[in-house]
Amino acid sequence: MVCGRNVAIANQVPQISEFPKYEGSARDLQPVAQVTPENTPASTEEPDIELTVIDKLLNEPVYSPFRREGTVKDSTRPVYVITGEEMEAQGARTVREALKFLTGILPDGTVGTEVNALSGQFIRGSNTGQVLILLDGRPINNLGGGGFDLSEFTTNNIERVEVLPGGGSTLYGSDAIGGVINIVTRRPTENITTEAKVNIGAYGLNQQSIQNSGKAGVISWVVGYNRTQAENNYPFTIPEANFTGTRTNNDALFNNFNVKLEADLGTRNTLTLSTLYLSKEQGVPGGVAIPEPQFGQGFFNSLTENNRKYTDQVLTDLTWNSKLGNGNDSLLTARVYTDFLNTRFDNRSGALSSQNRFDSNQVSYGIQTTHSWNLTKNQILVYGFDYRNANVRNTTFNYGSNLNRENYDDSISQGAIFAKYENNLTSSLSVNLGVRQDFSSLVNGSFTSPSVGTKFVISDSTTLRANYIRNFRAPTIANLFNNNPTNIGNPELKPEKGDSFDIGIDQKLGNIGLLRLTFFSNTVSDTIAFKRLTPPVNGNTGTFENIGLVRTTGIEASLNLQLAKNFYAFANYTANDPRILESSNPAEVDKELRFAGADKLNLGVSYENPQGWYLGLLMNSLNGYPTNNTNTEFLSGYTTLDFKVRVPLSDSLILTSSVDNIFDQRYQLFPGFPDGGRVFQVGLSSRF
């Protein structure tokens, strides 16, 4: 954690009982608000120990638990945050990497540790497709194949990332069975500021970014660009295959642009236009074939020299914020958005007849309206309407025959009404009740998602909280309508359903620390899984059906301490036990769900001061986990130690450096797919 420099920011966050009582434009009450360091008065005093640890954490601004601006301590739900400043200090290049030391999530990719490694998010036993990804509070999940690759987002434009375990269908609808990840982008600064960064590192890492932000009259802006390039040609060994070699065809090139324009339409209304362009070209090196066991998880791997992947994502939204009435107790937010998600995969390995190009093109648009209303000092009502339509076209082109086959070209429309009522019944007891009704163009796509949460303040030091949320995930277009030689969609699929329970405690440890402990149970039923067709039907060898029931129980624990002046420590632990209770395969019953059952331990100590110095030693440890649902194949765990440094060379120049995996621990995240071992990077950033 990077504590000291955020104290002034944390203390400016509005509490649940009232909006800020000051006059200004509606941008000050936007649901994804930010107070930037440039707007914060400099403190000449050493921050108080209470503020740097306890209040900093509890007053961290968050949006995802409320669908409005609030703080961590306002929420009955456990929510974990990493700020842009912490990402810089830790050397996180992408949002995927930024999640490494957060509680409640197993964020490691399953195909490597490179900057371009495909992200995989496992929260409370759910898989990547069952975790909803939000961008500034609105969904961006791919409705064609599911999920969203968080390695697409470089961190240069990110203000913070929130992880909300336990689902979020009451406020956000489909795909939120396991949890919600909300990516919050930067807001404009009051003064015109330019920030440039250069970063170089191991295996050909070369990164440059520039951001310009400011305000002139009623118009404010953020404009930025990031270019990231890496070769990732490291040596590696796979003992199970008696293989030693050098990783090839593993390069990556990012070109990301961001633009945000805000216009103050008087003192009561603000209009914001935001666009992100995310472009990435990368090699797809494949994995080493694992000979034993036969037909095991790594048996069919192959290394490739020419396979490539290309992604182009354009994410655009227009948001209007209006303070209704004459006070500051009512905020209406209306947003329209449109996304273009294009992915191309070139398989140029093997005989020409087996070389194919796979293209997926999604066009989606949506509408969000949210009214956040302080009914009284102690009551808040948030309600609104959502609509999203997505069309996805997926094709396969064969280089040998020059034939192009359409796998699917279909749409999903989803609409919903929702409401959440929050009431501070007494100074010690608060409750919230929520409900959402989703309507879908799918035959079985409509769903009702209730929730209830409560928080009880036992004393100034101890707070208890408890929650229940009903969640769901609609089938993807590929699940429903795919039609190719390997599988056929099933348009009669029902949504996956989830029930999430948790109970927790927030315990202040005198004036030096905070312990947050959560026990949870997360159940997913009607799981969508692939079913092989024997004999084939019209040439198709498989389809999808609703099978399976998984219940995950576990613990999320987070401890933050101030050991002495400017010396800090943290520890967090995430324990998951996902058990398959029902399955079409009897051999899987009572077994652990693959990949999702790993336990994670993070430890760290750091020196931090108000002048911006940061020296941190951080540990990330993952225990072994099964790679199949019959639990006959496992990957061993690993422990890595990272050293991070942030040094302010002057008022406008900052040096950052890191050595990750200091002891060069080598491991696999998927059978036959290696990690990069010890890596280093060093960077300079300048603000003027």
Side-chain angles (χ1 to χ4, degrees), residues 340-354:
F340 301 89
L341 310 181
N342 302 311
T343 302
R344 170 184 169 185
F345 175 71
D346 272 341
N347 178 6
R348 302 307 302 265
S349 300
L352 186 63
S353 60
S354 64

Side-chain angles (χ1 to χ4, degrees), residues 198-368:
V198 177
N199 197 37
I200 59 174
Y203 307 132
L205 176 67
N206 184 4
Q207 201 172 28
Q208 309 91 37
S209 66
I210 187 167
Q211 295 277 341
N212 180 264
S213 179
K215 184 175 183 179
V218 299
I219 303 296
S220 53
W221 67 88
V222 179
V223 179
Y225 167 68
N226 175 279
R227 180 185 184 276
T228 300
Q229 187 173 20
E231 294 300 323
N232 298 316
N233 52 348
Y234 52 81
F236 72 103
T237 298
I238 304 295
E240 298 88 341
N242 194 27
F243 177 91
T244 298
T246 298
R247 201 74 160 141
T248 59
N249 188 35
N250 198 26
D251 60 297
L253 176 63
F254 296 71
N255 281 287
N256 291 356
F257 296 86
N258 59 278
V259 177
K260 181 173 290 187
L261 302 174
E262 291 188 352
D264 292 335
L265 309 179
T267 60
R268 313 282 304 171
N269 296 273
T270 299
L271 192 66
T272 303
L273 174 66
S274 179
T275 297
L276 290 179
Y277 173 67
L278 310 177
S279 171
K280 184 169 67 169
E281 175 187 349
Q282 64 185 98
V284 182
V288 177
I290 308 296
E292 297 292 340
Q294 190 176 26
F295 308 124
Q297 292 297 298
F299 185 80
F300 296 101
N301 290 345
S302 63
L303 296 174
T304 73
E305 295 183 355
N306 301 310
N307 289 6
R308 309 291 294 177
K309 181 182 178 183
Y310 307 85
T311 55
D312 287 285
Q313 329 270 19
V314 181
L315 311 168
T316 301
D317 60 73
L318 181 67
T319 304
W320 172 53
N321 287 276
S322 180
K323 292 191 286 187
L324 304 182
N326 297 317
N328 295 318
D329 57 357
S330 178
L331 177 66
L332 176 66
T333 300
R335 170 187 282 149
V336 294
Y337 60 89
T338 184
D339 299 330
F340 301 89
L341 310 181
N342 302 311
T343 302
R344 170 184 169 185
F345 175 71
D346 272 341
N347 178 6
R348 302 307 302 265
S349 300
L352 186 63
S353 60
S354 64
Q355 295 181 18
N356 296 288
R357 184 184 74 231
F358 305 91
D359 288 281
S360 179
N361 306 103
Q362 173 174 310
V363 179
S364 60
Y365 63 89
I367 301 170
Q368 285 185 330

Side-chain angles (χ1 to χ4, degrees), residues 375-679:
L375 301 173
T376 66
K377 183 178 181 180
N378 297 320
Q379 300 181 73
I380 296 179
L381 177 65
V382 177
Y383 64 94
F385 167 78
D386 290 338
Y387 176 77
R388 188 184 186 196
N389 175 275
N391 176 267
V392 186
R393 184 172 187 263
N394 184 276
T395 61
T396 301
F397 174 78
N398 182 266
Y399 286 101
S401 65
N402 285 324
L403 295 178
N404 198 58
R405 183 184 69 247
E406 183 177 272
N407 299 317
Y408 51 85
D409 185 358
D410 291 278
S411 300
I412 290 178
S413 294
Q414 300 170 322
I417 54 175
F418 67 90
K420 184 176 182 179
Y421 171 72
E422 306 168 46
N423 192 330
N424 288 343
L425 297 173
T426 69
S427 60
S428 301
L429 179 64
S430 64
V431 298
N432 62 75
L433 302 170
V435 67
R436 180 184 177 102
Q437 179 62 52
D438 277 86
F439 308 94
S440 175
S441 60
L442 305 179
V443 173
N444 298 308
S446 299
F447 201 80
T448 304
S449 306
S451 68
V452 59
T454 185
K455 184 177 62 174
F456 180 55
V457 180
I458 297 177
S459 67
D460 290 341
S461 299
T462 306
T463 300
L464 298 179
R465 43 185 167 75
N467 301 276
Y468 165 75
I469 311 99
R470 179 72 165 159
N471 303 294
F472 80 103
R473 176 180 180 249
T476 67
I477 292 178
N479 295 150
L480 295 163
F481 307 122
N482 199 28
N483 186 13
N484 65 41
T486 59
N487 63 76
I488 184 171
N490 178 3
E492 301 301 319
L493 287 172
K494 297 180 292 183
E496 297 177 332
K497 304 176 182 66
D499 292 286
S500 182
F501 300 87
D502 63 58
I503 183 169
I505 183 172
D506 295 339
Q507 179 65 51
K508 296 179 182 179
L509 306 177
N511 292 325
I512 66 167
L514 178 68
L515 172 67
R516 305 179 67 202
L517 187 64
T518 302
F519 301 88
F520 66 84
S521 173
N522 203 55
T523 303
V524 180
S525 60
D526 288 326
T527 304
I528 297 172
F530 181 75
K531 177 184 179 182
R532 189 168 299 280
L533 296 176
T534 306
V537 177
N538 297 325
N540 292 282
T541 58
T543 187
F544 299 92
E545 66 178 7
N546 292 104
I547 53 176
L549 172 66
V550 176
R551 175 172 294 126
T552 304
T553 55
I555 299 171
E556 296 159 358
S558 176
L559 174 65
N560 291 85
L561 296 169
Q562 182 166 4
L563 304 176
K565 182 178 179 180
N566 297 332
F567 286 90
Y568 304 89
F570 77 89
N572 61 62
Y573 180 63
T574 303
N576 294 285
D577 184 19
R579 292 290 160 179
I580 302 172
L581 304 184
E582 297 177 10
S583 174
S584 60
N585 181 359
E588 296 179 353
V589 176
D590 293 329
K591 297 298 196 282
E592 184 177 295
L593 187 68
R594 66 178 193 148
F595 296 110
D599 296 341
K600 185 179 78 165
L601 173 65
N602 294 134
L603 300 173
V605 292
S606 63
Y607 170 84
E608 310 169 37
N609 68 23
Q611 288 73 42
W613 282 77
Y614 175 86
L615 289 86
L617 190 63
L618 312 178
M619 187 194 81
N620 179 47
S621 182
L622 208 69
N623 76 334
Y625 51 88
T627 59
N628 64 4
N629 287 340
T630 55
N631 294 181
T632 58
E633 297 180 54
F634 289 82
L635 281 179
S636 59
Y638 60 88
T639 298
T640 60
L641 200 64
D642 303 345
F643 180 64
K644 316 284 188 177
V645 177
R646 184 181 192 272
V647 179
L649 302 178
S650 68
D651 290 340
S652 60
L653 190 63
I654 295 174
L655 171 71
T656 56
S657 180
S658 66
V659 179
D660 293 350
N661 197 353
I662 295 173
F663 297 109
D664 201 25
Q665 170 78 54
R666 304 308 297 262
Y667 53 92
Q668 300 169 53
L669 293 167
F670 188 86
F673 287 78
D675 74 296
R678 183 192 301 115
V679 294

Side-chain angles (χ1 to χ4, degrees), residues 23-56:
E23 289 301 324
S25 70
R27 71 182 288 227
D28 299 317
L29 295 182
Q30 286 192 38
V32 187
Q34 169 197 354
V35 182
T36 60
E38 291 80 16
N39 299 333
T40 305
S43 175
T44 58
E45 298 181 1
E46 193 78 11
D48 184 85
I49 189 172
E50 171 83 5
L51 299 179
T52 57
V53 177
I54 299 176
D55 280 1
K56 188 272 172 183

